[in-house]
Amino acid sequence: MASHGFWSLGGDNAGANTGSQSPSTPRAWCQAAAQKLSGGIGSKLCALLNVGEVEKPAEPGAKQPPQTAAGTCGCNKSCNCTKAAVVFSDLYSTDLLPATDGDTKTMTFLQEVVDILLAYIVESFDRETKVIDFHYPNELLQMNNWELQDEPATLDDILISCRATLKYAIKTAHPRYFNQLSTGLDMVGLAADWLTSTANTNMFTYEVAPVFVLLEYVTLKKMREIIGWTDGRGDGIFSPGGAISNMYAMLLARFKMFPEVKEKGMSSVPRLVAFTSEHSHFSIKKGAAALGIGTESVICIKADESILVALVQGFVPFFVSATAGTTVYGAFDPLIAISDICKKYNIWMHVDGAWGGSLLMSRRHRWKLDGVERANSVTWNPHKMMSVPLQCSALLVREEGLMQNCNQMHACYLFQQDKHYDLSYDTGDKALQCGRHVDIFKLWLMWRAKGTIGFEAQIDKCLELSEYLYNKIKDREGYEMVFDGKPQHTNVCFWYLPPGIRYMEDKEERKKHLHKVAPVIKARMMEYGTTMVSYQPQGDKVNFFRMVISNPAATFEDIDFLIEEIERLGQDL
Amino acid sequence: MASHGFWSLGGDNAGANTGSQSPSTPRAWCQAAAQKLSGGIGSKLCALLNVGEVEKPAEPGAKQPPQTAAGTCGCNKSCNCTKAAVVFSDLYSTDLLPATDGDTKTMTFLQEVVDILLAYIVESFDRETKVIDFHYPNELLQMNNWELQDEPATLDDILISCRATLKYAIKTAHPRYFNQLSTGLDMVGLAADWLTSTANTNMFTYEVAPVFVLLEYVTLKKMREIIGWTDGRGDGIFSPGGAISNMYAMLLARFKMFPEVKEKGMSSVPRLVAFTSEHSHFSIKKGAAALGIGTESVICIKADESILVALVQGFVPFFVSATAGTTVYGAFDPLIAISDICKKYNIWMHVDGAWGGSLLMSRRHRWKLDGVERANSVTWNPHKMMSVPLQCSALLVREEGLMQNCNQMHACYLFQQDKHYDLSYDTGDKALQCGRHVDIFKLWLMWRAKGTIGFEAQIDKCLELSEYLYNKIKDREGYEMVFDGKPQHTNVCFWYLPPGIRYMEDKEERKKHLHKVAPVIKARMMEYGTTMVSYQPQGDKVNFFRMVISNPAATFEDIDFLIEEIERLGQDL
C-alpha cells in the first residue's frame, strides 16, 4: 500500500479522469470533482458550481431524510455524479481506517465533521447567533437519543449526533460569552489542539512524545524567564488545571520541609498549617483536605500575626499561598510584603496566579505581580487570560530537582535507565499522574503565532475593556459597585438595581429583593441566549454580577450590549 | 453581520460568478472554485482539475519557497486564479477570527491544517511509513526553530511548525506501534476530540457544558451497569488518568472511614495502612505519598495474614487495591477472594482496572474480573484497551453522594444554589479539580458508533492476536517466556536470546549479556523506525520485552513482522 496524501484520492475510481487531460465540459468537471474529492467537498463544490448556491445545512439534531444524506451529491438533476459520493447511512465505523481501503471513506467522514465544525466556528463568532440554545436537563435528555446501545450506529447517525451536540453546546467563542475566567476560542490554539488529538500521545517520556517534551521544556523555561528567575532556571509541569497545580505546590512545600513525609506519611511530621489570602481559590482547601493536612489547618491570612499565633500553638507553618488575581474580585496580594514574611519564618511561598499570572506578559500591568520572582512556586493558567484552549495550566517551581524527588517512584517499565537517549527528557516521574495529556502544543503554537507582544496586546485589550465597563457603570443610575476603587484585573463586580427597588427605604427588604435580581436576569439571559455573565453572593454581600473579560472577541460594543441587556431583562424586577 | 455557513463563502468577491448561472468554460470553473472556496480547497481543486495531479505536499519541516507557499494556486500557467488564493506568508493570527472579515481566512487556514492532519492520518496507517523518525534530543532541538519569540510568526510559519511537529512525532496509529498500553487511533474518537476542542468548555457545571454533563451521566451509568451494580446506581467521574482515579479511590476510602480527616487532617486519625497487589501500578504508592499516608504504609499483599499483622501492630487497614490487569504481566488478582477479606475486616475494596477493566465488555473474557461487582470503587481507562484517544479514565464508585461529601468546598462563585435548573447536574464539586477537561465525548461517540458489541469485538481481537504471539514464540528457538502459562491479558513477556548467547554455559555471564539485548534491539527499532515495543527488568529478571496489544490496526501479519524484526535486529548481539 503506497503512501497517500489527502489530495491524491480516488484510488478506487482509478482510470476515470485521472490523466493529465482536463475535462472539457462543466458536467465533466463536476463529475471529476465529485470523484476525486471526498463526498463533503466534492458534492458541495459540485452543487455550488451548478446551482449557484449550496444546500442549506440540515437543522442540527434533526434526522436527515435518506435522499439528502450527507455525502450524497447535492446537485440538481442536471448532474449525475452520485457515483463517487459516500453515503454515510450505509457506512459504519468499521468501514473507516484501519479498514482495508478505508482511506477515502475516512477522509470523507473526517472532512464532513470538519465542515460541521467550521460552520459552528463561524456561527459562534456571529453576534446574531445565540450564545446558548438553553434547555433544562430533563428536556435535553429527551431531545435526542443519547442512550448507549449494544448495536452500532451508522456514520450518518454519528454526524447527526455531532450536530445535535453542537446545537445545544455553549458557544464559548461567542463575543458575548463572559461567564467564566476561560472564554473565547483562538484559531491557532484550536488548530494546535486538533493536531494534538491526531498525534494522540502521552507526555511521560521523550520516547513517545519527542517534540512535545522539547516544547514543554522550551515553554516552561520562557515562562520562568518572564517570572524573573535567573536564566529561566527551575522546574515545572503542565497539570490538568489550576487546582492540581496548587496541590502540586503544597505537596512540594511539605516535601521540602519534611522529606520523610513521602515514606512515612503525616504521622512523622508535626501539625502543619498553611496560610492563604482571604479570597483565595477553594482549591487551596481542597488540596489541604486531600493531602491529609485538613481544611482547618488552612488559615486565611491578614497579617503575619496569624503565623505567630500558629507558632505559639505548636503548629508548623509550611506553606503560604498568595493570590495574584482572586477569582471573584481579581485582587492581587502584596507579594513583596508576603515574601518578607515567608523569608522571616522560612515558609514556602506559592503564588496562585492561575487567573492573574498572565499579566506578567503585559509591560503595563506586570507591576501588580511585583515580588513574584521571590516565590518558590507559581501557578499560571494560560487557558484563562491568554485564551489557550482548555486545559492548559502550568506550575513553575524555582528549585530544580525537587519535583522529581518528591514524586518519583522509579517505575522501571516506563523509565528504563538504559535507554539510548538523554533520560533527563523523561519527565513523567515528576508528575503525580502517570499518563499526562499533551497540553503544551496549543500554548506553544499560539505563542509562536502571536509572539509575546501579541499576548501582551490581547491582555491589555481585555483590561481596557474592563476599565471601560467600570467607568461606564460606576456613576450610572441603578448600579452599585461591590468593592471600592478601580479593579486590578478584568473583574468588575456590581449590583444592578431595577427601578422598582432602587429607592426602597427598608434596607433589609431591599437587600432581600436585590439578592434575587441577578439570578433572574442570568436565567433570562440564558433563555434568550443573548449573553452570559456570572453572579454570586460573597460573605454578607447578596448576589452580584461578576463580569470578567478574557474573551479576545469582545469589543466596546459588546460591553455596551451587556449593560443594555441587563437593563432590558431586569427593568421589571 | 449575517450568519454564515461554511459553504456560503465569497462575500468579499461578491458579484463574481455568484449567480445561478453556471460558468461555462473550464477556466471559468476554476476561477469560480478558487473564488468561492477557501484557498486550500479552491486552489488544490483547481490544480487537480487542470493538471490532473496535485502539487506534492512539501517535505514536512522544510521551509517552503515563497512561490509555492501553501494556499497560493498550484495550477500551471493556463490558470490565472491566484486572485482568491490566501497567501499564508502574508497573514498573521490576527487576521483570523475574531478579526472582521476573518471568516474566509480562518476557514482556509483551518482547512490547510486539516489537510496536513488528514495526510498524516493516512500515512500513519500505512505500513510502509516509519513509526518514528527518531532523533536524539540535542539533534531535534536543532532541526527546527522551536524557540519562542517576542514577534509574531506568519501563518505560513505556523503551518511549517505543524508539519515539522508531525514529522518528528510518533505515529501512534501505526499498526506496528505496540509501545504502550494506549495505542492506535480511532477515527470516530478523533472526530469527537476535534469537536471537543471546538466546543472548548469545562465539565464543572451544566450551565457551561449541558450536553457533555448529560453524556457523562449516561456513560458512567452504563459502565456501572456493566460492572454489575444494581440498576447502574452509584457515582463516578472522568479524571485525568488512571493514577488520579486511583488517588480518588484512596481519598474516598479514607473519608468513608474517617470523615473528620477532611477538616482535621491525618493527625486526627490513627496510622492507616493500605494493601495492594505485588505488581500493582506505582500510582498506589504515589497516591499514598501525596495523601500523607506514606509509601511505607502501602503493603504488597500476598494473603490476609499481612492484614492481621498490621492490626496487631496497631495500624488501621483502610484500603485494598486489587489489580485487574497488571501493567507488566497483565495479571488479574482473584477479586472474589479479596472481597471476602475486605468484607471480613471492613476495608474499602478498590479494583484498579485501568488496563484490564475493559475486559468487562467481552463475554469471553469478563470472567477474569469475577467479583468486581463487590468492589467499592473501580478504575477503568477507556483510553487503553478501548483505544479512546488520550485522556479518558473513569473512576466508578458504588456509594452515591460520597464523592460530593468528600471533595465539596461549596464555592459560591461557581455552584450558585439559586440557579434555575436542577443543580444535581453541577458535578464540579465532586472533583479534586476545579476546571475539568471534557473527556467524555470521544468515549460516548465511539460507543455509539461501535455499540457495546463493537468494543467487544475489538477487545477480543487484541486478545486473539496476543494468544497468536504467545503460541508462536513459546516453543520457538531463541525465546524464553518470563512467566509460566498463557497470558491473562494481551501482555506477552519474553526474552529473545540471540544465537551468540543462546548456548552460553555460564549462567551469570548469559544473564549479563541478555540484560543488554532488549535495550539494543529497542534502540535499533527506533532508529530504523519499523516498530516499537516496550522492555524492562523486573525484580531479579533481566530486561525482557513486554509486548502488549491494544492497537485495533494490528493484524496477525504485524505480529509475524515483530518477531522477524526482533530476530533481524538482534541476531548479531
Side-chain angles (χ1 to χ4, degrees):
Chain A
M1 186 171 156
S3 174
H4 291 294
F6 176 36
W7 293 96
S8 56
L9 291 179
D12 294 344
N13 306 311
N17 298 317
T18 51
S20 59
Q21 199 75 35
S22 298
S24 56
T25 67
R27 188 176 298 176
W29 278 64
C30 175
Q31 287 172 344
Q35 282 176 331
K36 292 205 185 194
L37 298 168
S38 54
I41 306 176
S43 63
K44 280 179 179 166
L45 175 85
C46 192
L48 187 70
L49 297 182
N50 264 286
V51 300
E53 67 175 9
V54 185
E55 51 172 334
K56 283 231 169 107
E59 178 71 359
K63 181 95 186 171
Q64 291 180 301
Q67 68 272 24
T68 60
T72 54
C73 182
C75 301
N76 61 22
K77 292 204 172 52
S78 70
C79 178
N80 189 26
C81 57
T82 50
K83 209 168 129 190
V86 172
V87 181
F88 291 119
S89 55
D90 292 344
L91 291 180
Y92 291 89
S93 64
T94 43
D95 295 308
L96 304 177
L97 284 170
T100 315
D101 297 327
D103 295 15
T104 310
K105 289 167 197 156
T106 298
M107 286 188 292
T108 312
F109 168 71
L110 289 175
Q111 184 63 51
E112 192 68 31
V113 172
V114 167
D115 290 353
I116 293 170
L117 299 180
L118 293 177
Y120 177 80
I121 290 164
V122 171
E123 207 187 321
S124 292
F125 283 98
D126 182 354
R127 288 175 177 79
E128 315 254 317
T129 305
K130 284 181 171 189
V131 177
I132 177 174
D133 179 4
F134 180 78
H135 297 276
Y136 291 92
N138 55 343
E139 288 170 2
L140 189 50
L141 269 171
Q142 285 158 19
M143 295 185 88
N144 199 55
N145 175 15
W146 307 108
E147 290 302 319
L148 295 166
Q149 312 289 344
D150 288 345
E151 301 295 322
T154 67
L155 292 183
D156 196 37
D157 276 327
I158 292 305
L159 293 168
I160 289 167
S161 291
C162 288
R163 290 189 200 98
T165 299
L166 290 174
K167 176 169 166 54
Y168 303 115
I170 306 290
K171 294 198 169 59
T172 56
H174 197 289
R176 291 171 183 165
Y177 177 72
F178 302 111
N179 208 61
Q180 309 294 145
L181 303 183
S182 300
T183 61
L185 185 64
D186 187 273
M187 291 301 112
V188 173
L190 179 65
D193 219 17
W194 288 356
L195 186 148
T196 302
S197 302
T198 310
N200 192 33
T201 194
N202 220 318
M203 289 298 284
F204 43 41
T205 60
Y206 179 84
E207 184 176 327
V208 303
V211 183
F212 299 130
V213 164
L214 289 186
L215 297 184
E216 188 173 74
Y217 175 85
V218 165
T219 309
L220 287 171
K221 184 165 183 290
K222 185 83 178 175
M223 292 173 89
R224 290 188 302 259
E225 281 169 11
I226 290 174
I227 286 174
W229 292 336
T230 315
D231 300 330
R233 280 204 300 269
D235 209 337
I237 202 166
F238 282 84
S239 92
I244 302 289
S245 291
N246 287 340
M247 195 171 91
Y248 265 112
M250 197 180 273
L251 194 62
L252 289 171
R254 182 176 68 179
F255 178 76
K256 174 72 180 170
M257 196 174 273
F258 302 103
E260 62 272 29
V261 73
K262 182 174 176 181
E263 283 85 26
K264 301 197 178 297
M266 289 291 284
S267 60
S268 68
V269 306
R271 288 287 301 274
L272 302 179
V273 67
F275 299 89
T276 186
S277 18
E278 198 187 347
H279 293 151
S280 64
H281 191 258
F282 67 87
S283 58
I284 303 297
K285 288 199 170 186
K286 278 211 182 190
L291 304 190
I293 290 159
T295 55
E296 287 179 4
S297 294
V298 178
I299 295 170
C300 292
I301 196 170
K302 295 218 172 180
D304 63 345
E305 275 170 34
S306 49
I307 293 183
L308 284 174
V309 171
L311 285 169
V312 168
Q313 292 175 336
F315 285 84
V316 175
F318 79 108
F319 183 73
V320 169
S321 177
T323 312
T326 57
T327 314
V328 178
Y329 290 175
F332 287 75
D333 283 336
L335 301 185
I336 292 175
I338 290 171
S339 78
D340 287 342
I341 296 170
C342 289
K343 201 175 169 190
K344 183 166 155 195
Y345 297 103
N346 193 29
I347 306 177
W348 182 283
M349 178 181 170
H350 174 63
V351 173
D352 177 4
W355 173 225
S358 303
L359 267 55
L360 288 168
M361 302 189 92
S362 162
R363 281 165 288 191
R364 200 182 302 163
H365 297 284
R366 72 163 283 147
W367 61 270
K368 294 168 188 172
L369 290 107
D370 277 353
V372 67
E373 71 285 356
R374 302 193 194 177
N376 298 90
S377 56
V378 179
T379 293
W380 173 355
N381 286 7
H383 70 211
K384 295 194 161 82
M385 198 64 196
M386 289 158 73
S387 224
V388 176
L390 290 157
Q391 59 191 40
C392 190
S393 169
L395 178 76
L396 293 314
V397 181
R398 198 168 59 193
E399 182 174 333
E400 288 175 75
L402 191 66
M403 293 196 82
Q404 184 84 9
N405 289 335
C406 178
N407 293 322
Q408 72 186 350
M409 291 289 156
H410 305 289
C412 56
Y413 79 93
L414 203 52
F415 310 116
Q416 300 88 342
Q417 295 306 300
D418 43 14
K419 285 179 180 172
H420 60 128
Y421 60 81
D422 179 354
L423 297 178
S424 68
Y425 290 97
D426 281 1
T427 58
D429 222 8
K430 283 183 191 177
L432 265 182
Q433 305 158 255
C434 172
R436 190 159 58 89
H437 190 256
V438 178
D439 296 332
I440 184 59
F441 190 62
K442 49 201 172 192
L443 170 59
W444 181 84
L445 199 70
M446 280 175 67
W447 203 322
R448 199 162 175 93
K450 292 177 197 291
T452 311
I453 59 164
F455 274 126
E456 177 183 44
Q458 180 178 318
I459 291 161
D460 284 353
K461 187 193 147 205
C462 288
L463 279 132
E464 261 174 58
L465 288 174
S466 154
E467 200 174 336
Y468 175 79
L469 171 63
Y470 171 73
N471 287 330
K472 187 178 172 103
I473 62 173
K474 72 176 171 6
D475 303 316
R476 190 182 177 95
E477 199 190 341
Y479 290 81
E480 279 179 28
M481 306 309 291
V482 174
F483 58 85
D484 291 334
K486 213 170 100 175
Q488 292 182 279
H489 205 323
T490 70
N491 309 50
V492 182
C493 295
F494 62 91
W495 288 282
Y496 168 67
L497 291 86
I501 66 165
R502 215 167 280 172
Y503 306 105
M504 256 185 200
E505 301 228 330
D506 183 334
K507 293 284 174 203
E508 277 312 302
E509 192 65 13
R510 182 171 175 268
K511 209 168 157 179
K512 228 173 95 184
H513 269 83
L514 186 55
H515 188 56
K516 291 178 192 155
V517 169
V520 173
I521 294 178
K522 170 67 177 279
R524 289 178 179 178
M525 282 176 177
M526 290 181 72
E527 276 158 20
Y528 283 100
T530 47
T531 183
M532 276 174 77
V533 56
S534 188
Y535 76 88
Q536 71 274 297
Q538 178 138 317
D540 61 350
K541 295 179 164 72
V542 300
N543 279 320
F544 56 86
F545 286 110
R546 178 204 64 175
M547 176 68 180
V548 281
I549 303 164
S550 61
N551 192 335
T555 62
F556 294 108
E557 289 71 26
D558 295 313
I559 303 295
D560 293 339
F561 176 84
L562 176 82
I563 292 304
E564 285 159 24
E565 191 66 359
I566 286 175
E567 293 174 4
R568 182 177 79 87
L569 297 174
Q571 61 178 349
D572 65 325
L573 295 177
Chain B
M1 188 175 158
S3 174
H4 291 295
F6 177 34
W7 292 98
S8 56
L9 290 179
D12 294 345
N13 305 311
N17 297 317
T18 52
S20 60
Q21 199 77 32
S22 296
S24 57
T25 67
R27 187 176 299 177
W29 278 65
C30 174
Q31 285 170 346
Q35 280 176 334
K36 294 205 184 195
L37 298 170
S38 54
I41 304 176
S43 63
K44 279 182 177 163
L45 175 86
C46 191
L48 187 70
L49 297 182
N50 265 287
V51 301
E53 67 175 10
V54 186
E55 49 171 335
K56 281 229 170 114
E59 177 71 0
K63 181 96 186 168
Q64 291 180 302
Q67 66 274 23
T68 59
T72 54
C73 182
C75 300
N76 60 22
K77 291 203 173 53
S78 70
C79 176
N80 189 27
C81 55
T82 50
K83 210 169 126 189
V86 173
V87 180
F88 292 118
S89 55
D90 292 344
L91 292 180
Y92 291 88
S93 64
T94 43
D95 294 307
L96 303 177
L97 285 171
T100 314
D101 297 328
D103 295 16
T104 310
K105 289 166 195 155
T106 299
M107 286 187 292
T108 313
F109 169 71
L110 288 176
Q111 184 63 52
E112 192 69 31
V113 172
V114 167
D115 290 353
I116 293 170
L117 299 181
L118 292 177
Y120 178 79
I121 290 164
V122 172
E123 207 186 322
S124 292
F125 283 99
D126 182 353
R127 288 176 177 78
E128 315 254 317
T129 305
K130 282 182 173 188
V131 177
I132 177 174
D133 179 4
F134 180 78
H135 297 275
Y136 291 92
N138 56 344
E139 289 172 1
L140 189 50
L141 270 171
Q142 286 159 19
M143 294 186 90
N144 199 56
N145 176 13
W146 308 107
E147 289 303 317
L148 295 166
Q149 312 288 343
D150 288 345
E151 300 296 321
T154 66
L155 292 183
D156 196 37
D157 275 327
I158 294 305
L159 292 169
I160 289 167
S161 290
C162 288
R163 289 189 201 96
T165 299
L166 289 174
K167 176 168 165 57
Y168 304 114
I170 305 290
K171 294 197 170 58
T172 56
H174 198 288
R176 290 169 183 166
Y177 177 71
F178 303 109
N179 207 59
Q180 308 296 144
L181 303 184
S182 299
T183 61
L185 184 63
D186 186 275
M187 290 300 112
V188 172
L190 179 64
D193 219 17
W194 287 358
L195 186 148
T196 300
S197 301
T198 309
N200 193 32
T201 195
N202 220 317
M203 289 298 284
F204 43 41
T205 59
Y206 179 84
E207 185 175 327
V208 303
V211 183
F212 299 132
V213 164
L214 289 186
L215 297 184
E216 187 173 75
Y217 174 85
V218 165
T219 309
L220 287 171
K221 183 165 183 289
K222 185 83 179 175
M223 292 172 90
R224 291 189 300 261
E225 282 170 11
I226 290 173
I227 286 173
W229 291 336
T230 315
D231 299 329
R233 280 203 300 270
D235 210 336
I237 203 167
F238 282 83
S239 93
I244 302 290
S245 291
N246 286 340
M247 196 172 91
Y248 264 112
M250 199 181 271
L251 195 60
L252 289 171
R254 183 176 69 179
F255 178 76
K256 174 72 180 170
M257 196 175 271
F258 301 104
E260 62 272 30
V261 73
K262 182 175 176 181
E263 284 85 26
K264 303 201 177 294
M266 288 293 283
S267 60
S268 68
V269 305
R271 288 288 300 277
L272 302 179
V273 66
F275 299 88
T276 187
S277 17
E278 198 187 346
H279 293 150
S280 65
H281 191 257
F282 68 87
S283 58
I284 303 296
K285 287 199 172 188
K286 278 212 182 188
L291 304 190
I293 291 159
T295 55
E296 288 180 2
S297 294
V298 178
I299 295 169
C300 293
I301 196 172
K302 294 218 173 179
D304 63 345
E305 274 170 37
S306 49
I307 293 184
L308 284 173
V309 172
L311 285 169
V312 167
Q313 291 174 336
F315 285 84
V316 175
F318 80 108
F319 183 74
V320 169
S321 177
T323 312
T326 58
T327 313
V328 179
Y329 290 175
F332 288 75
D333 283 336
L335 301 184
I336 292 175
I338 290 171
S339 78
D340 287 341
I341 295 170
C342 289
K343 201 175 168 192
K344 183 168 156 194
Y345 297 104
N346 193 29
I347 305 176
W348 181 285
M349 178 181 169
H350 174 63
V351 173
D352 177 3
W355 173 226
S358 303
L359 267 53
L360 288 168
M361 301 189 91
S362 161
R363 281 166 286 191
R364 200 182 300 162
H365 297 285
R366 72 165 283 147
W367 62 269
K368 293 168 188 171
L369 289 106
D370 278 353
V372 68
E373 70 286 355
R374 302 192 192 178
N376 297 91
S377 56
V378 179
T379 292
W380 173 355
N381 286 8
H383 70 212
K384 294 196 162 81
M385 198 62 195
M386 288 158 73
S387 223
V388 176
L390 288 157
Q391 61 191 37
C392 191
S393 168
L395 178 75
L396 292 314
V397 182
R398 199 169 56 190
E399 184 174 330
E400 288 176 73
L402 190 67
M403 293 196 82
Q404 184 83 9
N405 290 336
C406 178
N407 292 324
Q408 72 186 350
M409 290 289 158
H410 305 287
C412 55
Y413 79 91
L414 201 53
F415 310 116
Q416 300 88 342
Q417 295 305 300
D418 44 14
K419 284 180 181 172
H420 60 128
Y421 60 80
D422 179 355
L423 297 176
S424 67
Y425 290 96
D426 280 2
T427 58
D429 222 8
K430 282 183 191 178
L432 266 182
Q433 304 157 256
C434 172
R436 189 159 58 90
H437 190 257
V438 179
D439 296 332
I440 185 60
F441 190 62
K442 49 202 171 192
L443 170 58
W444 181 84
L445 200 69
M446 279 174 69
W447 204 320
R448 199 162 174 92
K450 290 176 198 293
T452 312
I453 59 165
F455 274 126
E456 178 184 44
Q458 181 178 317
I459 291 160
D460 284 354
K461 187 192 146 202
C462 287
L463 280 132
E464 259 174 59
L465 287 174
S466 154
E467 199 174 337
Y468 174 79
L469 170 62
Y470 171 74
N471 287 330
K472 189 178 170 103
I473 62 174
K474 71 178 177 355
D475 303 315
R476 190 181 177 97
E477 200 189 340
Y479 290 81
E480 279 180 28
M481 306 311 290
V482 174
F483 57 85
D484 291 334
K486 215 170 98 178
Q488 291 182 278
H489 205 325
T490 70
N491 310 48
V492 182
C493 296
F494 61 92
W495 288 283
Y496 168 67
L497 293 86
I501 66 164
R502 213 166 282 172
Y503 308 104
M504 257 185 198
E505 300 228 332
D506 183 334
K507 294 283 172 201
E508 276 312 302
E509 194 63 14
R510 183 172 175 267
K511 209 169 156 177
K512 226 172 99 186
H513 269 84
L514 186 55
H515 188 58
K516 292 178 191 155
V517 169
V520 173
I521 293 179
K522 171 67 177 277
R524 290 178 178 177
M525 281 176 178
M526 290 181 71
E527 276 158 21
Y528 284 100
T530 45
T531 182
M532 276 173 77
V533 57
S534 187
Y535 75 88
Q536 70 275 295
Q538 178 137 318
D540 61 350
K541 295 179 163 71
V542 300
N543 279 320
F544 54 87
F545 286 111
R546 178 205 64 173
M547 175 68 179
V548 280
I549 303 163
S550 61
N551 193 335
T555 61
F556 293 108
E557 288 72 25
D558 295 312
I559 303 296
D560 293 339
F561 175 84
L562 175 83
I563 291 305
E564 285 159 24
E565 191 65 0
I566 286 175
E567 293 174 4
R568 181 177 80 88
L569 298 173
Q571 62 178 348
D572 64 326
L573 296 177

